[in-house]
Amino acid sequence: TAPQSFAVIRMLDDTKLTLRPDTTIAIGEFNLDEGKEEGCVNLIKGGLRTVTGLIGERRPAAFTVDTPVASIGIRGTDFVTRICEGELCQLDQNKYIEESLGAVDDPAFAQELNEELPEGVYSHCVTGAIVMSQCAGQAEDFKIGQCRRAQTADCYEVNLNAGQAGYIGQN
């Protein structure tokens, strides 16, 4: 998307992707065959809101959003994800945090974010649940248009339920 535009993409299974301004994605895989349902979107730059469709209903764990920093496993949900890097992190931090994470309930975390917004992936789970994972060597592993399926044992995970927000840093 261009710097001042949005795009809404409706996939064949009724998954809806709303792309924020200045966002780049690639569709990795999309299979609606019964028993083989699978969907994967690569978020390369920017942010998006995803409302999962039939794949998320039939096989919730079979839909993922991959970023260079982390993979997000969907559990039949509506969620918002943004990559914060470079100049994007230097913009109005409070506005970025609110748009990316919603209300931050943890005062210590909110204060830490106000002092310095670290680069990474920020997500807010609106309904359902998501699992954000970051594994050793993940950034080198990221290939546009491909989906990560195997995870090493050396992974850090953040589990988010409806109404929760979280962050995974670049390191």
Side-chain angles (χ1 to χ4, degrees):
T1 55
Q4 295 184 357
S5 65
F6 286 81
V8 178
I9 301 169
R10 186 175 66 84
M11 306 298 282
L12 290 174
D13 76 330
D14 283 330
T15 290
K16 187 166 95 173
L17 307 170
T18 303
L19 308 183
R20 297 187 51 78
D22 208 19
T23 294
T24 304
I25 68 166
I27 306 299
E29 292 181 20
F30 210 81
N31 186 349
L32 290 176
D33 294 343
E34 193 166 343
K36 297 178 183 177
E37 295 90 351
E38 186 170 31
C40 172
V41 174
N42 297 149
L43 176 60
I44 300 161
K45 174 183 165 189
L48 58 83
R49 179 173 187 165
T50 304
V51 179
T52 57
L54 186 62
I55 292 172
E57 290 174 24
R58 287 185 183 167
R59 294 185 61 212
F63 191 93
T64 60
V65 173
D66 279 343
T67 75
V69 176
S71 292
I72 302 169
I74 314 310
R75 305 296 180 256
T77 190
D78 174 351
F79 72 101
V80 177
T81 296
R82 291 180 77 179
I83 297 174
C84 172
E85 61 185 355
E87 287 181 17
L88 205 52
C89 287
Q90 306 309 317
L91 299 176
D92 182 350
Q93 290 183 358
N94 290 326
K95 181 179 179 190
Y96 188 90
I97 292 165
E98 185 176 321
E99 288 178 358
S100 301
L101 297 179
V104 177
D105 296 332
D106 180 349
F109 183 52
Q111 180 61 35
E112 180 182 323
L113 290 177
N114 281 326
E115 290 172 4
E116 179 182 351
L117 188 60
E119 292 189 352
V121 175
Y122 291 79
S123 293
H124 175 225
C125 184
V126 179
T127 62
I130 64 174
V131 178
M132 296 175 27
S133 64
Q134 182 181 55
C135 304
Q138 193 159 23
E140 296 81 29
D141 208 5
F142 184 74
K143 293 180 179 56
I144 296 172
Q146 293 183 7
C147 303
R148 292 188 190 108
R149 291 294 170 232
Q151 293 200 356
T152 64
D154 188 15
C155 293
Y156 170 75
E157 290 189 349
V158 175
N159 295 291
L160 303 176
N161 294 313
Q164 293 182 319
Y167 155 81
I168 286 189
Q170 295 216 17
N171 298 321

